[in-house]
Amino acid sequence: MIKSELIAKLAEENPHLTQRDIERVVSVVLERMIQALETGGRVELRGFGALSVRSREARAGRNPRTGEPVDVRAKHVPFFKSGKELRERLNLSGDE
């Protein structure tokens, strides 16, 4: 699902809200999540999962086309850990 599909689905389920209002709410929520991660914080959505930032050390890599060694600089990357409810719903067997 992409952002525009999420907005369209929310608009469909909430006809009392305008699409512009829903777009604004979704944008604000995502922006606040990004701001929290930028400052080293963590974003936890109960039942869904948690987002945090992890550091990766500098390392030696290889150019996949040429095989030539390249230096890969240290960086911060987002990390997602799924919540228990999400994992359970993804792994439901058809027997229940």
Side-chain angles (χ1 to χ4, degrees):
M1 175 179 285
I2 60 175
K3 185 177 174 181
S4 60
E5 291 171 340
L6 173 62
I7 291 167
K9 184 71 172 167
L10 289 171
E12 179 184 309
E13 293 176 1
N14 297 281
H16 60 285
L17 298 172
T18 67
Q19 182 144 348
R20 181 175 291 176
D21 288 340
I22 293 170
E23 285 177 27
R24 193 174 305 128
V25 169
V26 169
S27 293
V28 167
V29 169
L30 294 175
E31 182 60 29
R32 295 299 178 264
M33 290 171 65
I34 291 168
Q35 288 174 354
L37 293 171
E38 279 179 333
T39 59
R42 172 182 154 108
V43 176
E44 184 175 333
L45 303 169
R46 296 281 169 147
F48 181 72
L51 286 158
S52 59
V53 177
R54 293 214 172 155
S55 297
R56 291 213 178 139
E57 299 292 323
R59 62 184 176 83
R62 292 209 174 272
N63 180 327
R65 279 195 187 160
T66 65
E68 191 176 314
V70 293
D71 290 327
V72 179
R73 63 186 178 101
K75 58 186 158 190
H76 298 327
V77 294
F79 177 76
F80 177 74
K81 181 173 180 3
S82 62
K84 181 180 177 184
E85 184 180 333
L86 176 59
R87 281 193 306 274
E88 288 173 352
R89 287 182 63 179
L90 292 176
N91 292 299
L92 284 178
S93 65
D95 302 333
E96 294 182 62

